[in-house]
Amino acid sequence: MSELADYYRDRAAEYDAVYDKPERQQDLATLKELLPPLVAGKRVLEIAAGTGYWTQVLAGSAQSIVATDLNDETLAIARSRSYSSEAVSFQAADAYRLDEIAGEYDVVFAGFFWSHVLRQDAARFAQSLVRRAERVVLVDNKYVAGSNYPISRTTADGDTYQTRRLEDGRTYDVLKNFPTTEQFTADVAPADVTWTDLTYFWLATVTG
């Protein structure tokens, strides 16, 4: 996972360009309608918040948000954004060590992080999320040829990887899994799942 952290650290300044893809605009607009009601009036713990793109979306309806990320470089960009609520704070934290994050939360939110969890770790990671809040909300990519980076390799455990290139030419071998509804539901069992399929993304609400 260290290479993944290095990739997102080095990509921080150019990360939000992914949200400019023309074909994804309708799906992004739909997510911006669906997400705020799921956190309305709630204390939210956001993991892998990155540059704060989704923090902005949630801030208008959440009671409070603690947005966390492993990289100071992406958090610096997140802190520089304007938010519709003053109850947004930021903290450097490891998504795999949620017990080290202080506070009580009603919702855990993770945008585009589930796909970076190894298949062998998925069930254990899901349990760590459910332990922290009564509701877990996840958003991530579906694989759509031509819109996503092609899959460069698949391991014996079923993990898929993409070769990602930064603007300066550096390349990274990045874990990026694309679970089916059935696979995801099995990973988070016995929790209940509400799953929404869009064209380029999926949205899952998990209640333990």
mmCIF file of all heavy atoms in Angstrom, residues 1-12 70-71 166 170 172:
data_model
loop_
_atom_site.group_PDB
_atom_site.id
_atom_site.type_symbol
_atom_site.label_atom_id
_atom_site.label_comp_id
_atom_site.label_asym_id
_atom_site.label_seq_id
_atom_site.Cartn_x
_atom_site.Cartn_y
_atom_site.Cartn_z
ATOM 1 N N MET A 1 0.819 -1.213 0.000
ATOM 2 C CA MET A 1 0.000 0.000 0.000
ATOM 3 C C MET A 1 0.853 1.263 0.000
ATOM 4 O O MET A 1 0.346 2.363 -0.208
ATOM 5 C CB MET A 1 -0.932 0.004 1.211
ATOM 6 C CG MET A 1 -1.896 -1.175 1.263
ATOM 7 S SD MET A 1 -2.947 -1.297 -0.192
ATOM 8 C CE MET A 1 -4.045 0.083 0.074
ATOM 9 N N SER A 2 2.163 1.141 0.245
ATOM 10 C CA SER A 2 3.007 2.330 0.279
ATOM 11 C C SER A 2 3.071 2.999 -1.086
ATOM 12 O O SER A 2 3.114 4.227 -1.185
ATOM 13 C CB SER A 2 4.417 1.972 0.763
ATOM 14 O OG SER A 2 5.024 1.035 -0.101
ATOM 15 N N GLU A 3 3.075 2.203 -2.164
ATOM 16 C CA GLU A 3 3.107 2.794 -3.497
ATOM 17 C C GLU A 3 1.816 3.556 -3.777
ATOM 18 O O GLU A 3 1.828 4.610 -4.419
ATOM 19 C CB GLU A 3 3.333 1.738 -4.574
ATOM 20 C CG GLU A 3 3.424 2.348 -5.972
ATOM 21 C CD GLU A 3 3.970 1.401 -7.022
ATOM 22 O OE1 GLU A 3 4.210 0.231 -6.704
ATOM 23 O OE2 GLU A 3 4.146 1.843 -8.170
ATOM 24 N N LEU A 4 0.691 3.038 -3.278
ATOM 25 C CA LEU A 4 -0.581 3.732 -3.441
ATOM 26 C C LEU A 4 -0.542 5.092 -2.746
ATOM 27 O O LEU A 4 -0.979 6.104 -3.306
ATOM 28 C CB LEU A 4 -1.711 2.881 -2.877
ATOM 29 C CG LEU A 4 -3.125 3.456 -2.985
ATOM 30 C CD1 LEU A 4 -3.561 3.547 -4.444
ATOM 31 C CD2 LEU A 4 -4.106 2.598 -2.186
ATOM 32 N N ALA A 5 -0.013 5.119 -1.522
ATOM 33 C CA ALA A 5 0.096 6.379 -0.790
ATOM 34 C C ALA A 5 1.013 7.354 -1.518
ATOM 35 O O ALA A 5 0.722 8.555 -1.620
ATOM 36 C CB ALA A 5 0.611 6.115 0.624
ATOM 37 N N ASP A 6 2.126 6.841 -2.054
ATOM 38 C CA ASP A 6 3.051 7.694 -2.805
ATOM 39 C C ASP A 6 2.362 8.268 -4.042
ATOM 40 O O ASP A 6 2.540 9.453 -4.373
ATOM 41 C CB ASP A 6 4.281 6.897 -3.234
ATOM 42 C CG ASP A 6 5.167 6.514 -2.067
ATOM 43 O OD1 ASP A 6 5.020 7.108 -0.979
ATOM 44 O OD2 ASP A 6 6.011 5.615 -2.239
ATOM 45 N N TYR A 7 1.582 7.436 -4.707
ATOM 46 C CA TYR A 7 0.903 7.880 -5.922
ATOM 47 C C TYR A 7 -0.050 9.033 -5.627
ATOM 48 O O TYR A 7 -0.025 10.065 -6.317
ATOM 49 C CB TYR A 7 0.136 6.701 -6.532
ATOM 50 C CG TYR A 7 -0.832 7.106 -7.609
ATOM 51 C CD1 TYR A 7 -0.390 7.555 -8.851
ATOM 52 C CD2 TYR A 7 -2.211 7.035 -7.390
ATOM 53 C CE1 TYR A 7 -1.284 7.927 -9.845
ATOM 54 C CE2 TYR A 7 -3.112 7.402 -8.373
ATOM 55 C CZ TYR A 7 -2.639 7.850 -9.603
ATOM 56 O OH TYR A 7 -3.536 8.228 -10.576
ATOM 57 N N TYR A 8 -0.867 8.896 -4.601
ATOM 58 C CA TYR A 8 -1.831 9.955 -4.304
ATOM 59 C C TYR A 8 -1.153 11.204 -3.738
ATOM 60 O O TYR A 8 -1.631 12.323 -3.953
ATOM 61 C CB TYR A 8 -2.924 9.437 -3.374
ATOM 62 C CG TYR A 8 -3.981 8.700 -4.157
ATOM 63 C CD1 TYR A 8 -4.058 7.319 -4.142
ATOM 64 C CD2 TYR A 8 -4.882 9.403 -4.951
ATOM 65 C CE1 TYR A 8 -5.010 6.650 -4.892
ATOM 66 C CE2 TYR A 8 -5.842 8.744 -5.703
ATOM 67 C CZ TYR A 8 -5.901 7.361 -5.674
ATOM 68 O OH TYR A 8 -6.835 6.707 -6.427
ATOM 69 N N ARG A 9 -0.053 11.024 -3.058
ATOM 70 C CA ARG A 9 0.713 12.188 -2.608
ATOM 71 C C ARG A 9 1.245 12.959 -3.807
ATOM 72 O O ARG A 9 1.107 14.189 -3.899
ATOM 73 C CB ARG A 9 1.878 11.734 -1.722
ATOM 74 C CG ARG A 9 2.757 12.884 -1.193
ATOM 75 C CD ARG A 9 4.087 12.349 -0.714
ATOM 76 N NE ARG A 9 4.853 11.779 -1.817
ATOM 77 C CZ ARG A 9 5.619 10.691 -1.722
ATOM 78 N NH1 ARG A 9 5.733 10.044 -0.579
ATOM 79 N NH2 ARG A 9 6.283 10.243 -2.773
ATOM 80 N N ASP A 10 1.838 12.236 -4.757
ATOM 81 C CA ASP A 10 2.444 12.891 -5.913
ATOM 82 C C ASP A 10 1.406 13.404 -6.903
ATOM 83 O O ASP A 10 1.685 14.308 -7.699
ATOM 84 C CB ASP A 10 3.396 11.920 -6.617
ATOM 85 C CG ASP A 10 4.588 11.532 -5.754
ATOM 86 O OD1 ASP A 10 4.863 12.263 -4.778
ATOM 87 O OD2 ASP A 10 5.223 10.506 -6.038
ATOM 88 N N ARG A 11 0.206 12.856 -6.838
ATOM 89 C CA ARG A 11 -0.851 13.250 -7.759
ATOM 90 C C ARG A 11 -1.731 14.362 -7.190
ATOM 91 O O ARG A 11 -2.641 14.856 -7.866
ATOM 92 C CB ARG A 11 -1.726 12.019 -8.069
ATOM 93 C CG ARG A 11 -2.777 12.234 -9.139
ATOM 94 C CD ARG A 11 -3.717 11.042 -9.215
ATOM 95 N NE ARG A 11 -4.857 11.313 -10.079
ATOM 96 C CZ ARG A 11 -5.946 10.559 -10.119
ATOM 97 N NH1 ARG A 11 -6.036 9.494 -9.342
ATOM 98 N NH2 ARG A 11 -6.941 10.866 -10.918
ATOM 99 N N ALA A 12 -1.489 14.790 -5.972
ATOM 100 C CA ALA A 12 -2.390 15.698 -5.266
ATOM 101 C C ALA A 12 -2.802 16.900 -6.101
ATOM 102 O O ALA A 12 -3.987 17.245 -6.199
ATOM 103 C CB ALA A 12 -1.759 16.146 -3.951
ATOM 104 N N LEU A 70 -4.314 10.108 4.700
ATOM 105 C CA LEU A 70 -2.960 9.722 5.081
ATOM 106 C C LEU A 70 -1.934 10.767 4.657
ATOM 107 O O LEU A 70 -0.898 10.938 5.296
ATOM 108 C CB LEU A 70 -2.611 8.372 4.442
ATOM 109 C CG LEU A 70 -1.323 7.688 4.883
ATOM 110 C CD1 LEU A 70 -1.370 7.355 6.374
ATOM 111 C CD2 LEU A 70 -1.100 6.417 4.071
ATOM 112 N N ASN A 71 -2.240 11.497 3.575
ATOM 113 C CA ASN A 71 -1.264 12.407 2.980
ATOM 114 C C ASN A 71 -1.509 13.863 3.350
ATOM 115 O O ASN A 71 -2.604 14.393 3.125
ATOM 116 C CB ASN A 71 -1.294 12.277 1.450
ATOM 117 C CG ASN A 71 -0.591 11.021 0.966
ATOM 118 O OD1 ASN A 71 0.484 10.685 1.438
ATOM 119 N ND2 ASN A 71 -1.217 10.321 0.036
ATOM 120 N N LEU A 166 1.428 10.073 -14.288
ATOM 121 C CA LEU A 166 1.267 11.463 -13.897
ATOM 122 C C LEU A 166 1.690 12.387 -15.044
ATOM 123 O O LEU A 166 2.308 11.951 -16.016
ATOM 124 C CB LEU A 166 2.092 11.762 -12.645
ATOM 125 C CG LEU A 166 1.751 10.944 -11.392
ATOM 126 C CD1 LEU A 166 2.613 11.398 -10.225
ATOM 127 C CD2 LEU A 166 0.276 11.064 -11.045
ATOM 128 N N ARG A 170 5.920 10.112 -14.652
ATOM 129 C CA ARG A 170 6.110 9.006 -13.717
ATOM 130 C C ARG A 170 4.922 8.052 -13.757
ATOM 131 O O ARG A 170 3.775 8.484 -13.912
ATOM 132 C CB ARG A 170 6.297 9.528 -12.296
ATOM 133 C CG ARG A 170 7.665 10.127 -12.014
ATOM 134 C CD ARG A 170 7.741 10.704 -10.606
ATOM 135 N NE ARG A 170 6.834 11.848 -10.460
ATOM 136 C CZ ARG A 170 6.567 12.433 -9.284
ATOM 137 N NH1 ARG A 170 7.080 11.936 -8.165
ATOM 138 N NH2 ARG A 170 5.775 13.491 -9.241
ATOM 139 N N TYR A 172 2.873 4.552 -11.976
ATOM 140 C CA TYR A 172 2.641 3.805 -10.738
ATOM 141 C C TYR A 172 1.751 2.609 -11.034
ATOM 142 O O TYR A 172 0.840 2.692 -11.877
ATOM 143 C CB TYR A 172 1.966 4.693 -9.691
ATOM 144 C CG TYR A 172 2.843 5.789 -9.139
ATOM 145 C CD1 TYR A 172 2.972 7.000 -9.815
ATOM 146 C CD2 TYR A 172 3.541 5.623 -7.948
ATOM 147 C CE1 TYR A 172 3.770 8.014 -9.314
ATOM 148 C CE2 TYR A 172 4.346 6.627 -7.448
ATOM 149 C CZ TYR A 172 4.456 7.826 -8.130
ATOM 150 O OH TYR A 172 5.256 8.826 -7.641
#
